[in-house]
Structures are given as structure tokens and as C-alpha cells.
Amino acid sequence: MEGGNAKAHAVLLSSPGLGHLIPVLELGKLLVTVNNFKVTIFVVSFLPSAAESQVLQSFVSPELCEVIRLPPANISDLVDADAAVVTRIAVLMREIRPALSSAISGLKYPPTVLIVDFFGTESLGFADDFKIPKFVFIPTHAWCLALTIYLPRLDEVVKGEYVDEKEALFIPGCRPVQPEDVVDPMMCRSDQQYAEYVHLGMNILMADGILVNTWEELEPETLASLRENKLLGRISKVPIYPVGPIIRPIGAVDHSCKKLLFDWLDKQPSESVLFVSFGSGGMVSNEQMRELAWGLELSRQRFIWVVRTPAVKSGDGSFFTFDSGSSNDILSYLPEGFMGRTQNLGLVVSDWAPQVEILSHPSVGGFLTHCGWNSTLESIMNGVPMIAWPLYAEQKMNATMLAEELRIAVREKILPSKGIVGREEIKMLVKRIMVDDEGLAMKARVKELKLSAERAWSRNGSSLKALAQAMR
Ligand code: UDP
């Protein structure tokens, strides 16, 4: 796989969810533009959504990468209707293997490297059929990778539920993980998604290399511990390549969006607007939505809020678990008179907004985010400090990293997934990042991080070199 060899052909596999698809597409683009590879990307989804189609349309030009959507596999006989999201993804990723295998075999150009993302490790074996190298791409950070790889060991030594542990979970050479911060599949050990996740922790090590969406200078200790084999030999021989940050670049916005959002943003003072969004599928309860609305209003700060139909349960940090009987009228969930009272202060957008473009606008000065790793990186790359509002997946770890280690975010006293954050607290959080000196100091730190990330991708930068090394 010579970097300059146009015949090198990378085949990438993305698992469901925009948080996976977006960085995989961007990695594919980099392999074309930086490494001069031919790239084919296989996309797996449960049911292709409008947002997914939009992302695919706007992100990839056919001359750049070939994108092939695998037909959705029917898993309804294999999982319970209420099965956890990691169970559903793991089962789906197993079921698509025959279709993937025949699709790879039918490719016009034989692959020279296979790269699967986090949940695609059960397809790594296809690389052996072609006698080509195989990589796993971790779309999140090295700390989460370390926890995942170390989980089979924790599974042996920790007896009860992780969330009931009195002390933080020790991972050699890494920042410990607080019991309440563990990734969702570790919350209940009798749930099938836990077994799936342990299995994943083992499978990752079958790769010839692991690409991680972080950069050397962001997580030097964790990366060193992964490389120095401190994780009890679990990662020996598998090189780690920090190739991030890989994020979606700023794109064009459509005319209606420009009129609604960007004409308004253009009129606001520099760094005065708080962007509020919970990622591609995050939701809060109706009670929490109302407190959030009140908190924004009481803060008297400008905002753009992407509002979504509320989650079913109170305090539920859920991912796509809305009540099918709920109203489509987003405004009906907001406090009476909210829109009128905040008409000169902010905008409410239903469901989806062009996040990268908003975060990059000079009027935006803060981001209330569910801390998905893509959203986190997008915020850093635009020099925007955050209010961390973690909901699901590894977001609680992300929030801890942002607030305690990097100190570029403030966070609530209780976890939003465990209870309701009240309006007064929300008002204070907004003021802390938008008005107070604390926010200014965070802005300065996040801008330093942005520079460090840019250096990682500059000439001779660590991520550029890591990708070149991995694809050598
Ligand atoms: N996103 C967006 N508009 C929205 C919501 C999300 O463009 O209204 C994009 C966002 O910019 C990010 C991705 O969707 O690139 C969400 O990924 P993330 O890892 O932050 O969270 P997830 O949705 O996977 O929980």
C-alpha cells in the first residue's frame, strides 16, 4: 500500500448512526486526497433517514469515493423490539456480513486494505480472505478505546455492577473512569448489549492497526499507555494511530436555512449566541425541555436551539425513543408564550440544523451539547466552549474529559440522564460560559486546543504522519 500508489484501494465499513457515518466518510475522503487511494465505503443503516441521505448527498462526490449502501437486514426476529441500541447494532452488523462479503467480492478493483469502524469488527475476517491488512477505526477518543479494550479484564475482576462500585474503575496508565461515567453498555451486566460490548473489546485486537479520532497532543498519556502495553498485554502488537481530528468541513447551506438562521446570525454581536443541540438522535424529556426553555429565557443570552420531540421517560437520555403518539408540533412542548418572549433573543429550529456551519459562525460563542465526539471535535475546531449535557453512549466520559481535564466546558451538578436540571441552574451555566470570566478563560483554552489540532494535520503534523504510517 504505497501512499502514492493509485492502485491502493481502501474498503471502509461504517456502522449505523451519523456519529459513525460522518467520520468514516471524512476518513475516506482523506485517504483519497492525502494518501491518493481509491476508496469504497459501505454504509450500514437500520432504516435510511432523511438526515442520512442529506449527509451522503452533501459529503461525498462520486468522483472522490464510491459509496454503497448495503440493503438493510431484517433483524426483527433476532432481537426484542426493546433491545438496547448496542445489541441492535451488533446483531445488524453480523447479519449484513453475507451481503458485505458478496459486495466486496464483486468490486471492480480488489481491495488492498479493509477499515471497519467500531461496531464492524466481526467483518475483519474478510481481509484475511483477500490477504490484505485490516484496521479498526475508532470514531471516538483513545480513553474510550482503552476502556473498551480493558473491559474483558474488568469483566473478570469486578464482581457486581460497575455503576455500584465505590471507587473509580482503574485502567492502567489512563485516567480512571468514574462508575457513573461508564459507557451505556456497561450500565447493566445482564443486558445482552454488555456481552456484545465485551466481545467487541476482544475483537478490536484482531486488527493489524487501530485508527483513533483523536490526536497525539490531546491524549498523550492515554496513547502512551496503549502503546506501552500497560493494559496487561491486551493490546500488544496492535499499533495505535491517532489520526484526528477528523470532522466534517464547513459546507454550503441551502437558501431557506440561510434566510432563517444565517441572516439572523450575521446580525448578532461576535460570540454572543449559544447553540443548543443534542446530536443526531439525542432527546430530553418534556419536563426537561421546559426547564431548558426557561433557563435560556432567564439567562437573557442569545441562542439557536435545535428542538426535537421529547423522549418518553422523564430524565431519559435517550436515543430515538420518542413516543410515536407524540405531537409533531415542536412548539407545543415549550412553555406557553416562550416564542413571543424570546423572539428578539433566539431561534428555535425543528429536528436538524447545519451544525458545523453554525458553530463556525463568528456570532456563536457557546455550545450546549450532548457531547457526542463529533460534536465535541466540531466545537473545539471552531474555538467554542461548551456546556456539557451528556446523554448516552460514551458521552459521560466525554463530558468529564471536557470539564475536568481540558477545562473547556461547564457541567450540571447532576447527570442529565439521571434527573431534571432546573431552570436556575441552566441560567447560571449559560452565564458562566457566555458572560463570566470563567467562560473567557475557557474560550482561550479551547482556541489553544484548536491550534494544536490544526498542527496535527499540518505538514509534518502528528495525525498526518500517523495516517501515512498506518497506510504505508
Ligand atoms: N448534526 C448536524 N445537525 C444536527 C445534529 C447533528 O449536523 O442537527 C451532526 C453533527 O454536526 C455531528 C453529527 O451530526 O457531526 C452527530 O455526531 P455526534 O458524535 O456528535 O453525536 P451522535 O449523533 O452520534 O450522538
Side-chain angles (χ1 to χ4, degrees):
M1 274 189 299
E2 281 306 313
N5 179 357
K7 286 194 187 129
H9 179 199
V11 167
L12 276 62
L13 174 66
S14 154
S15 39
L18 291 178
H20 293 260
L21 176 62
I22 291 171
V24 168
L25 292 175
E26 295 304 330
L27 173 62
K29 276 194 209 168
L30 284 171
L31 290 170
V32 174
T33 53
V34 177
N35 304 72
N36 197 23
F37 276 31
K38 186 177 288 301
V39 168
T40 304
I41 303 175
F42 289 103
V43 176
V44 182
S45 22
F46 285 108
L47 277 180
S49 64
E52 181 186 295
S53 302
Q54 199 187 321
V55 162
L56 285 171
Q57 257 172 23
S58 62
F59 283 8
V60 184
S61 61
E63 318 83 70
L64 210 55
C65 308
E66 186 178 13
V67 177
I68 301 173
R69 277 170 146 169
L70 289 174
N74 183 0
I75 57 163
S76 55
D77 291 344
L78 302 171
V79 290
D80 293 339
D82 60 352
V85 77
V86 169
T87 302
R88 285 191 283 140
I89 295 177
V91 171
L92 181 68
M93 294 308 281
R94 274 199 283 278
E95 289 307 296
I96 54 89
R97 283 181 304 178
L100 178 65
S101 166
S102 64
I104 296 180
S105 306
L107 288 172
K108 191 167 159 203
Y109 302 99
T112 56
V113 56
L114 176 69
I115 305 175
V116 304
D117 98 319
F118 208 68
F119 291 110
T121 54
E122 293 212 25
S123 292
L124 281 172
F126 293 135
D128 301 334
D129 300 342
F130 288 90
K131 300 194 172 32
I132 56 173
K134 47 188 187 291
F135 289 83
V136 179
F137 173 51
I138 307 293
T140 184
H141 46 84
W143 188 33
C144 181
L145 168 66
L147 173 66
T148 308
I149 288 172
Y150 197 59
L151 183 56
R153 175 72 183 145
L154 288 175
D155 187 55
E156 287 162 10
V157 295
V158 177
K159 293 298 164 220
E161 290 292 350
Y162 299 108
V163 286
D164 296 334
E165 283 292 291
K166 297 279 169 286
E167 310 231 322
L169 301 170
F170 171 73
I171 314 173
C174 299
R175 188 185 174 86
V177 179
Q178 292 301 329
E180 63 178 12
D181 282 357
V182 294
V183 293
D184 276 3
M186 289 174 68
M187 307 260 291
C188 172
R189 293 176 72 166
S190 56
D191 194 307
Q192 188 186 337
Q193 71 168 342
Y194 174 69
E196 297 285 3
Y197 204 77
V198 175
H199 189 59
L200 184 86
M202 293 172 178
N203 272 356
I204 289 175
L205 300 186
M206 285 163 43
D208 298 315
I210 302 173
L211 311 174
V212 199
N213 198 1
T214 189
W215 64 103
E216 196 68 53
E217 296 74 16
L218 184 74
E219 299 185 85
E221 283 99 20
T222 305
L223 287 164
S225 82
L226 283 163
R227 292 192 182 113
E228 285 162 17
N229 198 11
K230 283 189 188 153
L231 301 186
L232 297 186
R234 287 190 178 276
I235 192 148
S236 59
K237 300 196 196 109
V238 186
I240 310 282
Y241 301 98
V243 294
I246 296 179
I247 61 162
R248 181 168 81 78
I250 301 164
V253 290
D254 66 35
H255 180 70
S256 60
C257 190
K258 178 167 179 337
K259 276 213 101 37
L260 174 71
L261 297 174
F262 292 87
D263 286 357
W264 181 81
L265 271 173
D266 287 346
K267 294 188 199 108
Q268 309 310 314
S270 170
E271 300 188 346
S272 69
V273 176
L274 177 75
F275 180 52
V276 182
S277 175
F278 299 106
S280 64
M283 297 163 177
V284 295
S285 67
N286 195 12
E287 190 185 355
Q288 183 62 82
M289 260 172 92
R290 296 172 66 82
E291 287 305 307
L292 182 51
W294 277 113
L296 291 173
E297 184 179 336
L298 291 170
S299 77
R300 304 312 299 162
Q301 298 305 303
R302 295 173 178 83
F303 63 85
I304 293 180
W305 180 10
V306 184
V307 180
R308 194 163 285 148
T309 313
V312 191
K313 286 179 275 165
S314 168
D316 186 7
S318 34
F319 187 73
F320 292 126
T321 56
F322 57 88
D323 180 353
S324 51
S326 51
S327 163
N328 284 332
D329 178 11
I330 290 299
L331 301 186
S332 68
Y333 300 105
L334 300 174
E336 218 180 311
F338 172 77
M339 295 302 287
R341 291 192 302 274
T342 57
Q343 66 175 343
N344 294 324
L345 207 59
L347 296 178
V348 167
V349 188
S350 176
D351 250 6
W352 184 263
Q355 179 166 303
V356 174
E357 291 72 18
I358 292 175
L359 286 172
S360 66
H361 195 284
S363 299
V364 172
F367 184 16
L368 190 157
T369 169
H370 75 315
C371 302
W373 191 241
N374 294 290
S375 296
T376 300
L377 293 178
E378 288 160 8
S379 206
I380 292 175
M381 292 311 285
N382 286 293
V384 176
M386 287 160 263
I387 299 174
W389 193 291
L391 294 176
Y392 51 86
E394 89 296 16
Q395 292 156 13
K396 286 166 276 179
M397 290 176 81
N398 304 353
T400 296
M401 184 200 270
L402 294 174
E404 293 174 17
E405 194 177 329
L406 304 174
R407 294 183 300 128
I408 54 171
V410 293
R411 66 186 297 191
E412 315 72 26
K413 292 197 191 79
I414 55 158
L415 275 172
S417 52
K418 284 209 167 150
I420 301 293
V421 186
R423 61 189 76 177
E424 281 301 323
E425 189 182 357
I426 294 168
K427 174 182 105 178
M428 295 314 294
L429 289 166
V430 174
K431 289 196 152 177
R432 278 172 65 192
I433 61 159
M434 299 303 289
V435 184
D436 294 354
D437 287 348
E438 189 184 5
L440 284 178
M442 284 187 185
K443 257 176 212 159
R445 277 194 290 275
V446 79
K447 282 175 181 160
E448 272 170 35
L449 274 183
K450 172 184 153 101
L451 290 178
S452 129
E454 283 169 355
R455 278 195 294 273
W457 265 106
S458 64
R459 205 158 169 255
N460 285 326
S462 57
S463 294
L464 185 78
K465 278 203 249 175
L467 188 60
Q469 261 169 18
M471 297 295 124
R472 218 173 19 214

